[in-house]
Amino acid sequence: MSTQEEQANLGKVLSFLREWDHGDRTVRSRMLNTFLTRNTGKTFYELEMEFAQVASLFLARLTTWMRLTYMFGTFLGLQLKAIGVFLSASSHDQYLMEFTEDRGVLTLLDIVSHSQSKEEDKAEALRLLVTVSDAGRKYKEIICESHGVKVIAEFLATSNTDERQEAASALLEALSHGNPKYQDQIYKSLIGLMTCSSPKAQQLVLHNLRSLQLKLKSAHHSIVEPLLCMLRSLHLEVQNEAIDLILELKCYDVKTMLLTGLVSLLRPIKEEVQQHQITEEMIRVTGSLPLFVQQAAAAKTIRLLAKEDRELSHELLSLGVLQHLLYAMGNREHTDAQIQASLALEHFVHSFPVLEEHVQRVLGSSLFAAFMDKADTLYMNMDVRQAEILLSNQVDVSHVMDDL
């Protein structure tokens, strides 16, 4: 481009900026729409060419206008999309540096946390934060220094759409990678989020925790209680994520806490069952008490753990898992608990034949034969008296542990 052409282009850009400075919000919205049509997808160098090497002057105006007006929602969606053109411009991070230095990240986080912001504007702000985070460790730290983890976590817990919760989850995931300074903060925040009420959020949080846990050398003990509570979920996708995370944690220092907790869940305390009684309507809708759902999930998890590792099987047996599985098999109020406990017990009996006589003594010959033939249908052959025997069993295999 010749010097004359450069001067003409600069004059056009300066005229554009004057129009912006003197224009009302209607004029500015028209200018933003034109800007988006002409410049979406352009690289840093293309934007600089378009704006005569002074594109930063327009970005600064955009950022300032957004910071001053976002609480009123004045064309906020347009502002965010226009800023996105700059932040996503490839080949250079000059715009990112200028945006963050102008308190742009703080403004985006304020938009996400502001109760009056439209949900679609919050989602767009999250997408821009992901773009900032993807630019590298320095930018991840800027977001975290601005209390971003707390803001994003709260949005994930309270948002009412899957799409926006997934966007928040993706941002937390991005912040957890290549960000060692704030990794522990993100980890503990995710643990705290497990207690939120949204099943979708719980599923996403558990998935994020699995991904982050693989990068950590140890697990925080505070993860155990809320994780075991997730087995109580009536949503199978949440349960499955919780089970997968427990399977990952078998190699960490919370293993014994988890195994002890799982075994105890097989035998809910009567007082706890009474405390968790729910209305007849809830029972009609869900089909069972959450504690019994948790009992079934615990039995399933125990089976999966035992199948993966013979040493874990030994540890579970030393914790009294045999007696507790037999107890769960006698729970005629929840068929799945009976099925999952039977399948888990089947694994232990097949893996350690010395246990057969102890199980047969409790079940009786005919029921034991049915159990060995098809464990998952045993509950169909069980009468009230046999169930009561299972519920009151006192099987103790500690004296044969050395033979296993």
Side-chain angles (χ1 to χ4, degrees):
M1 185 181 291
S2 67
T3 303
Q4 188 174 358
E5 289 174 325
E6 288 175 355
Q7 290 294 326
N9 191 36
L10 178 60
K12 185 175 69 173
V13 171
L14 293 176
S15 176
F16 172 86
L17 294 176
R18 279 195 299 272
E19 183 182 4
W20 176 272
D21 292 339
H22 294 101
D24 58 17
R25 61 182 188 175
T26 303
V27 170
R28 289 184 176 184
S29 69
R30 173 182 54 76
M31 295 175 73
L32 283 182
N33 276 310
T34 302
F35 171 81
L36 288 168
T37 301
R38 291 181 179 174
N39 298 288
T40 297
K42 284 188 175 180
T43 66
F44 168 81
Y45 299 105
E46 289 170 333
L47 285 171
E48 286 299 295
M49 185 73 70
E50 176 74 16
F51 279 84
Q53 311 303 316
V54 292
S56 294
L57 295 178
F58 185 45
L59 174 59
R61 284 165 166 77
L62 264 176
T63 306
T64 300
W65 190 39
M66 180 178 71
R67 188 172 65 246
L68 293 174
T69 62
Y70 76 87
M71 294 188 70
F72 310 107
T74 307
F75 301 112
L76 181 55
L78 272 178
Q79 294 169 339
L80 291 166
K81 286 187 175 77
I83 288 172
V85 170
F86 286 99
L87 299 190
S88 60
S90 59
S91 307
H92 213 283
D93 69 346
Q94 178 181 319
Y95 299 145
L96 276 165
M97 287 190 293
E98 292 169 351
F99 180 73
T100 53
E101 288 169 1
D102 204 13
R103 299 180 62 224
V105 166
L106 277 169
T107 304
L108 292 178
L109 290 169
D110 283 346
I111 291 167
V112 172
S113 61
H114 186 48
S115 60
Q116 299 303 312
S117 296
K118 296 177 182 176
E119 286 295 309
E120 55 267 32
D121 292 339
K122 291 183 179 184
E124 187 64 36
L126 280 174
R127 280 190 283 273
L128 293 185
L129 286 166
V130 169
T131 300
V132 174
S133 172
D134 288 345
R137 176 176 172 176
K138 175 176 69 175
Y139 294 102
K140 295 178 196 289
E141 290 182 352
I142 289 172
I143 294 172
C144 293
E145 286 164 4
S146 305
H147 307 290
V149 175
K150 180 175 182 291
V151 170
I152 299 156
E154 288 178 356
F155 180 78
L156 173 57
T158 58
S159 182
N160 53 14
T161 69
D162 289 358
E163 181 185 357
R164 281 146 204 166
Q165 287 178 318
E166 286 167 1
S169 172
L171 181 50
L172 286 174
E173 177 94 12
L175 291 173
S176 71
H177 293 292
N179 189 15
K181 184 176 178 181
Y182 289 95
Q183 200 170 61
D184 194 51
Q185 180 192 357
I186 296 167
Y187 180 57
K188 289 178 179 176
S189 179
L190 288 169
I191 291 174
L193 275 175
M194 280 196 282
T195 59
C196 72
S197 59
S198 163
K200 180 64 177 180
Q202 290 172 343
Q203 178 190 357
L204 292 167
V205 166
L206 288 165
H207 183 79
N208 283 1
L209 270 170
R210 279 186 63 206
S211 174
L212 180 53
Q213 188 67 67
L214 291 172
K215 296 194 286 287
L216 302 175
K217 294 180 180 179
S218 64
H220 198 276
H221 64 86
S222 64
I223 198 173
V224 174
E225 185 178 347
L227 179 55
L228 292 176
C229 281
M230 291 296 94
L231 298 179
R232 193 178 297 174
S233 175
L234 302 176
H235 299 267
L236 192 58
E237 61 275 14
V238 176
Q239 257 196 44
N240 288 338
E241 287 286 356
I243 290 172
D244 286 343
L245 180 53
I246 291 171
L247 295 178
E248 298 284 356
L249 288 169
K250 72 181 186 295
C251 302
Y252 290 83
D253 42 355
V254 295
K255 178 191 69 174
T256 301
M257 287 178 67
L258 278 170
L259 295 183
T260 303
L262 286 168
V263 172
S264 68
L265 292 179
L266 295 173
R267 193 168 191 149
I269 300 169
K270 288 183 179 179
E271 289 76 10
E272 289 182 344
V273 174
Q274 292 169 354
Q275 288 172 5
H276 285 81
Q277 290 293 333
I278 49 181
T279 65
E280 291 184 8
E281 175 65 16
M282 278 297 289
I283 293 176
R284 184 184 68 78
V285 171
T286 64
S288 191
L289 284 172
L291 280 180
F292 293 157
V293 172
Q294 188 180 33
Q295 182 187 42
K300 178 181 178 180
T301 308
I302 285 169
R303 172 171 56 85
L304 295 172
L305 284 167
K307 277 188 170 183
E308 283 193 3
D309 192 323
R310 191 173 177 86
E311 187 178 323
L312 285 179
S313 295
H314 273 270
E315 190 166 348
L316 286 162
L317 285 168
S318 71
L319 292 169
V321 73
L322 206 67
Q323 182 189 118
H324 287 71
L325 286 172
L326 286 164
Y327 177 91
M329 286 166 63
N331 181 10
R332 287 164 57 87
E333 294 184 60
H334 193 65
T335 300
D336 194 43
Q338 292 182 290
I339 294 172
Q340 295 299 336
S342 295
L343 290 171
L345 184 65
E346 179 186 41
H347 168 76
F348 282 101
V349 170
H350 285 166
S351 300
F352 307 99
V354 71
L355 301 176
E356 281 192 26
E357 63 176 286
H358 299 278
V359 174
Q360 185 172 8
R361 195 177 301 131
V362 177
L363 293 180
S365 299
S366 60
L367 201 59
F368 181 74
F371 166 73
M372 294 298 283
D373 178 53
K374 195 163 175 55
D376 58 349
T377 60
L378 179 68
Y379 72 96
M380 299 171 66
N381 301 302
M382 190 183 303
D383 59 31
V384 175
R385 182 187 63 81
Q386 290 167 324
E388 288 175 351
I389 291 173
L390 291 177
L391 291 172
S392 60
N393 89 89
Q394 296 297 320
V395 169
D396 181 4
V397 295
S398 57
H399 58 288
V400 299
M401 287 297 295
D402 291 339
D403 300 328
L404 299 179

